[in-house]
PDB file of all heavy atoms in Angstrom:
ATOM      1  N   CYS A 418     176.666 121.170  59.934  1.00 93.00           N
ATOM      2  CA  CYS A 418     177.038 119.747  59.928  1.00 93.00           C
ATOM      3  C   CYS A 418     175.830 118.892  59.584  1.00 93.00           C
ATOM      4  O   CYS A 418     175.955 117.827  58.989  1.00 93.00           O
ATOM      5  CB  CYS A 418     177.559 119.307  61.295  1.00 93.00           C
ATOM      6  SG  CYS A 418     179.090 120.101  61.729  1.00 93.00           S
ATOM      7  N   HIS A 419     174.637 119.356  59.995  1.00 95.00           N
ATOM      8  CA  HIS A 419     173.413 118.591  59.737  1.00 95.00           C
ATOM      9  C   HIS A 419     172.667 119.079  58.501  1.00 95.00           C
ATOM     10  O   HIS A 419     171.646 118.522  58.131  1.00 95.00           O
ATOM     11  CB  HIS A 419     172.496 118.654  60.969  1.00 95.00           C
ATOM     12  CG  HIS A 419     173.214 118.258  62.224  1.00 95.00           C
ATOM     13  ND1 HIS A 419     173.572 116.949  62.466  1.00 95.00           N
ATOM     14  CD2 HIS A 419     173.710 118.998  63.240  1.00 95.00           C
ATOM     15  CE1 HIS A 419     174.249 116.904  63.604  1.00 95.00           C
ATOM     16  NE2 HIS A 419     174.336 118.132  64.094  1.00 95.00           N
ATOM     17  N   GLN A 420     173.182 120.178  57.900  1.00 94.00           N
ATOM     18  CA  GLN A 420     172.514 120.708  56.687  1.00 94.00           C
ATOM     19  C   GLN A 420     173.574 121.013  55.632  1.00 94.00           C
ATOM     20  O   GLN A 420     173.711 122.159  55.189  1.00 94.00           O
ATOM     21  CB  GLN A 420     171.796 122.029  57.022  1.00 94.00           C
ATOM     22  CG  GLN A 420     170.838 121.957  58.175  1.00 94.00           C
ATOM     23  CD  GLN A 420     170.524 123.359  58.699  1.00 94.00           C
ATOM     24  OE1 GLN A 420     171.401 124.188  58.914  1.00 94.00           O
ATOM     25  NE2 GLN A 420     169.254 123.613  58.910  1.00 94.00           N
ATOM     26  N   PRO A 421     174.355 120.009  55.225  1.00 93.00           N
ATOM     27  CA  PRO A 421     175.472 120.294  54.311  1.00 93.00           C
ATOM     28  C   PRO A 421     175.039 120.919  52.989  1.00 93.00           C
ATOM     29  O   PRO A 421     175.808 121.631  52.359  1.00 93.00           O
ATOM     30  CB  PRO A 421     176.126 118.918  54.091  1.00 93.00           C
ATOM     31  CG  PRO A 421     175.133 117.926  54.553  1.00 93.00           C
ATOM     32  CD  PRO A 421     174.266 118.589  55.569  1.00 93.00           C
ATOM     33  N   ASP A 422     173.765 120.686  52.585  1.00 93.00           N
ATOM     34  CA  ASP A 422     173.329 121.275  51.317  1.00 93.00           C
ATOM     35  C   ASP A 422     173.133 122.795  51.417  1.00 93.00           C
ATOM     36  O   ASP A 422     172.919 123.470  50.409  1.00 93.00           O
ATOM     37  CB  ASP A 422     172.054 120.571  50.805  1.00 93.00           C
ATOM     38  CG  ASP A 422     170.983 120.511  51.872  1.00 93.00           C
ATOM     39  OD1 ASP A 422     171.334 120.630  53.064  1.00 93.00           O
ATOM     40  OD2 ASP A 422     169.795 120.359  51.524  1.00 93.00           O
ATOM     41  N   GLN A 423     173.218 123.319  52.637  1.00 93.00           N
ATOM     42  CA  GLN A 423     173.125 124.778  52.823  1.00 93.00           C
ATOM     43  C   GLN A 423     174.441 125.472  52.483  1.00 93.00           C
ATOM     44  O   GLN A 423     174.516 126.692  52.415  1.00 93.00           O
ATOM     45  CB  GLN A 423     172.806 125.116  54.291  1.00 93.00           C
ATOM     46  CG  GLN A 423     171.477 124.593  54.781  1.00 93.00           C
ATOM     47  CD  GLN A 423     170.325 125.375  54.198  1.00 93.00           C
ATOM     48  OE1 GLN A 423     170.275 126.585  54.321  1.00 93.00           O
ATOM     49  NE2 GLN A 423     169.426 124.673  53.531  1.00 93.00           N
ATOM     50  N   ILE A 424     175.498 124.699  52.357  1.00 94.00           N
ATOM     51  CA  ILE A 424     176.819 125.298  52.096  1.00 94.00           C
ATOM     52  C   ILE A 424     176.937 125.556  50.602  1.00 94.00           C
ATOM     53  O   ILE A 424     176.759 124.651  49.800  1.00 94.00           O
ATOM     54  CB  ILE A 424     177.957 124.343  52.539  1.00 94.00           C
ATOM     55  CG1 ILE A 424     177.797 123.970  54.016  1.00 94.00           C
ATOM     56  CG2 ILE A 424     179.325 124.966  52.273  1.00 94.00           C
ATOM     57  CD1 ILE A 424     178.722 122.842  54.476  1.00 94.00           C
ATOM     58  N   ASN A 425     177.213 126.825  50.242  1.00 94.00           N
ATOM     59  CA  ASN A 425     177.454 127.105  48.828  1.00 94.00           C
ATOM     60  C   ASN A 425     178.815 127.785  48.671  1.00 94.00           C
ATOM     61  O   ASN A 425     179.439 128.190  49.642  1.00 94.00           O
ATOM     62  CB  ASN A 425     176.313 127.927  48.223  1.00 94.00           C
ATOM     63  CG  ASN A 425     176.175 129.282  48.893  1.00 94.00           C
ATOM     64  OD1 ASN A 425     177.166 129.941  49.203  1.00 94.00           O
ATOM     65  ND2 ASN A 425     174.946 129.703  49.127  1.00 94.00           N
ATOM     66  N   GLU A 426     179.258 127.884  47.426  1.00 95.00           N
ATOM     67  CA  GLU A 426     180.594 128.416  47.140  1.00 95.00           C
ATOM     68  C   GLU A 426     180.813 129.793  47.745  1.00 95.00           C
ATOM     69  O   GLU A 426     181.871 130.074  48.305  1.00 95.00           O
ATOM     70  CB  GLU A 426     180.750 128.580  45.621  1.00 95.00           C
ATOM     71  CG  GLU A 426     181.407 127.423  44.953  1.00 95.00           C
ATOM     72  CD  GLU A 426     181.625 127.698  43.481  1.00 95.00           C
ATOM     73  OE1 GLU A 426     182.034 128.811  43.106  1.00 95.00           O
ATOM     74  OE2 GLU A 426     181.357 126.783  42.701  1.00 95.00           O
ATOM     75  N   GLN A 427     179.800 130.635  47.548  1.00 93.00           N
ATOM     76  CA  GLN A 427     179.948 132.021  47.989  1.00 93.00           C
ATOM     77  C   GLN A 427     180.125 132.126  49.503  1.00 93.00           C
ATOM     78  O   GLN A 427     180.962 132.859  49.993  1.00 93.00           O
ATOM     79  CB  GLN A 427     178.696 132.786  47.588  1.00 93.00           C
ATOM     80  CG  GLN A 427     178.972 133.954  46.721  1.00 93.00           C
ATOM     81  CD  GLN A 427     177.669 134.543  46.250  1.00 93.00           C
ATOM     82  OE1 GLN A 427     176.841 133.859  45.626  1.00 93.00           O
ATOM     83  NE2 GLN A 427     177.469 135.795  46.563  1.00 93.00           N
ATOM     84  N   GLU A 428     179.280 131.368  50.230  1.00 93.00           N
ATOM     85  CA  GLU A 428     179.356 131.369  51.701  1.00 93.00           C
ATOM     86  C   GLU A 428     180.710 130.824  52.146  1.00 93.00           C
ATOM     87  O   GLU A 428     181.379 131.377  53.001  1.00 93.00           O
ATOM     88  CB  GLU A 428     178.267 130.460  52.285  1.00 93.00           C
ATOM     89  CG  GLU A 428     176.868 130.974  52.132  1.00 93.00           C
ATOM     90  CD  GLU A 428     176.621 132.211  52.983  1.00 93.00           C
ATOM     91  OE1 GLU A 428     177.137 132.257  54.111  1.00 93.00           O
ATOM     92  OE2 GLU A 428     175.927 133.120  52.487  1.00 93.00           O
ATOM     93  N   PHE A 429     181.081 129.703  51.547  1.00 97.00           N
ATOM     94  CA  PHE A 429     182.315 129.043  51.940  1.00 97.00           C
ATOM     95  C   PHE A 429     183.528 129.942  51.709  1.00 97.00           C
ATOM     96  O   PHE A 429     184.417 130.045  52.561  1.00 97.00           O
ATOM     97  CB  PHE A 429     182.472 127.725  51.156  1.00 97.00           C
ATOM     98  CG  PHE A 429     183.785 127.057  51.401  1.00 97.00           C
ATOM     99  CD1 PHE A 429     184.008 126.380  52.590  1.00 97.00           C
ATOM    100  CD2 PHE A 429     184.816 127.135  50.470  1.00 97.00           C
ATOM    101  CE1 PHE A 429     185.241 125.778  52.849  1.00 97.00           C
ATOM    102  CE2 PHE A 429     186.046 126.533  50.714  1.00 97.00           C
ATOM    103  CZ  PHE A 429     186.259 125.861  51.909  1.00 97.00           C
ATOM    104  N   ALA A 430     183.561 130.614  50.540  1.00 97.00           N
ATOM    105  CA  ALA A 430     184.733 131.426  50.174  1.00 97.00           C
ATOM    106  C   ALA A 430     184.987 132.553  51.173  1.00 97.00           C
ATOM    107  O   ALA A 430     186.102 133.052  51.287  1.00 97.00           O
ATOM    108  CB  ALA A 430     184.573 131.969  48.759  1.00 97.00           C
ATOM    109  N   GLN A 431     183.964 132.939  51.928  1.00 97.00           N
ATOM    110  CA  GLN A 431     184.141 134.001  52.929  1.00 97.00           C
ATOM    111  C   GLN A 431     185.102 133.603  54.037  1.00 97.00           C
ATOM    112  O   GLN A 431     185.591 134.449  54.768  1.00 97.00           O
ATOM    113  CB  GLN A 431     182.813 134.348  53.579  1.00 97.00           C
ATOM    114  CG  GLN A 431     181.870 135.070  52.669  1.00 97.00           C
ATOM    115  CD  GLN A 431     180.529 135.275  53.343  1.00 97.00           C
ATOM    116  OE1 GLN A 431     180.451 135.313  54.567  1.00 97.00           O
ATOM    117  NE2 GLN A 431     179.502 135.390  52.547  1.00 97.00           N
ATOM    118  N   TYR A 432     185.345 132.304  54.192  1.00 98.00           N
ATOM    119  CA  TYR A 432     186.216 131.840  55.272  1.00 98.00           C
ATOM    120  C   TYR A 432     187.657 131.617  54.801  1.00 98.00           C
ATOM    121  O   TYR A 432     188.524 131.273  55.596  1.00 98.00           O
ATOM    122  CB  TYR A 432     185.645 130.557  55.895  1.00 98.00           C
ATOM    123  CG  TYR A 432     184.318 130.808  56.562  1.00 98.00           C
ATOM    124  CD1 TYR A 432     183.126 130.688  55.867  1.00 98.00           C
ATOM    125  CD2 TYR A 432     184.277 131.233  57.891  1.00 98.00           C
ATOM    126  CE1 TYR A 432     181.912 130.964  56.468  1.00 98.00           C
ATOM    127  CE2 TYR A 432     183.060 131.496  58.501  1.00 98.00           C
ATOM    128  CZ  TYR A 432     181.886 131.366  57.781  1.00 98.00           C
ATOM    129  OH  TYR A 432     180.680 131.651  58.389  1.00 98.00           O
ATOM    130  N   LEU A 433     187.902 131.801  53.507  1.00 98.00           N
ATOM    131  CA  LEU A 433     189.265 131.631  52.999  1.00 98.00           C
ATOM    132  C   LEU A 433     190.122 132.834  53.403  1.00 98.00           C
ATOM    133  O   LEU A 433     189.600 133.924  53.677  1.00 98.00           O
ATOM    134  CB  LEU A 433     189.240 131.501  51.462  1.00 98.00           C
ATOM    135  CG  LEU A 433     188.608 130.209  50.945  1.00 98.00           C
ATOM    136  CD1 LEU A 433     188.284 130.333  49.462  1.00 98.00           C
ATOM    137  CD2 LEU A 433     189.515 129.010  51.202  1.00 98.00           C
ATOM    138  N   SER A 434     191.437 132.634  53.393  1.00 97.00           N
ATOM    139  CA  SER A 434     192.281 133.698  53.951  1.00 97.00           C
ATOM    140  C   SER A 434     192.359 134.944  53.073  1.00 97.00           C
ATOM    141  O   SER A 434     192.816 135.975  53.532  1.00 97.00           O
ATOM    142  CB  SER A 434     193.679 133.175  54.265  1.00 97.00           C
ATOM    143  OG  SER A 434     194.222 132.553  53.140  1.00 97.00           O
ATOM    144  N   MET A 435     191.918 134.860  51.817  1.00 97.00           N
ATOM    145  CA  MET A 435     191.907 136.091  51.014  1.00 97.00           C
ATOM    146  C   MET A 435     190.496 136.493  50.609  1.00 97.00           C
ATOM    147  O   MET A 435     190.270 137.034  49.523  1.00 97.00           O
ATOM    148  CB  MET A 435     192.784 135.931  49.777  1.00 97.00           C
ATOM    149  CG  MET A 435     194.245 135.872  50.120  1.00 97.00           C
ATOM    150  SD  MET A 435     195.338 136.354  48.760  1.00 97.00           S
ATOM    151  CE  MET A 435     195.098 138.120  48.672  1.00 97.00           C
ATOM    152  N   ALA A 436     189.545 136.275  51.503  1.00 97.00           N
ATOM    153  CA  ALA A 436     188.136 136.565  51.187  1.00 97.00           C
ATOM    154  C   ALA A 436     187.914 138.038  50.853  1.00 97.00           C
ATOM    155  O   ALA A 436     186.969 138.387  50.157  1.00 97.00           O
ATOM    156  CB  ALA A 436     187.259 136.160  52.363  1.00 97.00           C
ATOM    157  N   TRP A 437     188.792 138.872  51.343  1.00 97.00           N
ATOM    158  CA  TRP A 437     188.640 140.319  51.161  1.00 97.00           C
ATOM    159  C   TRP A 437     189.136 140.804  49.796  1.00 97.00           C
ATOM    160  O   TRP A 437     189.030 141.991  49.479  1.00 97.00           O
ATOM    161  CB  TRP A 437     189.386 141.061  52.285  1.00 97.00           C
ATOM    162  CG  TRP A 437     190.691 140.397  52.570  1.00 97.00           C
ATOM    163  CD1 TRP A 437     190.929 139.418  53.487  1.00 97.00           C
ATOM    164  CD2 TRP A 437     191.926 140.589  51.875  1.00 97.00           C
ATOM    165  NE1 TRP A 437     192.234 138.999  53.417  1.00 97.00           N
ATOM    166  CE2 TRP A 437     192.861 139.710  52.440  1.00 97.00           C
ATOM    167  CE3 TRP A 437     192.337 141.446  50.836  1.00 97.00           C
ATOM    168  CZ2 TRP A 437     194.180 139.631  52.002  1.00 97.00           C
ATOM    169  CZ3 TRP A 437     193.636 141.365  50.401  1.00 97.00           C
ATOM    170  CH2 TRP A 437     194.539 140.469  50.983  1.00 97.00           C
ATOM    171  N   ALA A 438     189.707 139.911  48.981  1.00 98.00           N
ATOM    172  CA  ALA A 438     190.297 140.335  47.702  1.00 98.00           C
ATOM    173  C   ALA A 438     189.584 139.668  46.533  1.00 98.00           C
ATOM    174  O   ALA A 438     189.073 138.561  46.667  1.00 98.00           O
ATOM    175  CB  ALA A 438     191.772 139.956  47.663  1.00 98.00           C
ATOM    176  N   PRO A 439     189.587 140.330  45.364  1.00 96.00           N
ATOM    177  CA  PRO A 439     189.075 139.614  44.187  1.00 96.00           C
ATOM    178  C   PRO A 439     190.040 138.481  43.858  1.00 96.00           C
ATOM    179  O   PRO A 439     191.204 138.516  44.260  1.00 96.00           O
ATOM    180  CB  PRO A 439     189.103 140.680  43.086  1.00 96.00           C
ATOM    181  CG  PRO A 439     190.125 141.672  43.517  1.00 96.00           C
ATOM    182  CD  PRO A 439     190.129 141.655  45.023  1.00 96.00           C
TER     183      PRO A 439
END
Side-chain angles (χ1 to χ4, degrees):
C418 294
H419 308 288
Q420 306 162 313
D422 51 339
Q423 297 287 305
I424 304 170
N425 62 40
E426 265 184 42
Q427 238 173 303
E428 290 292 322
F429 174 76
Q431 289 175 25
Y432 296 90
L433 291 165
S434 53
M435 290 204 72
W437 41 269

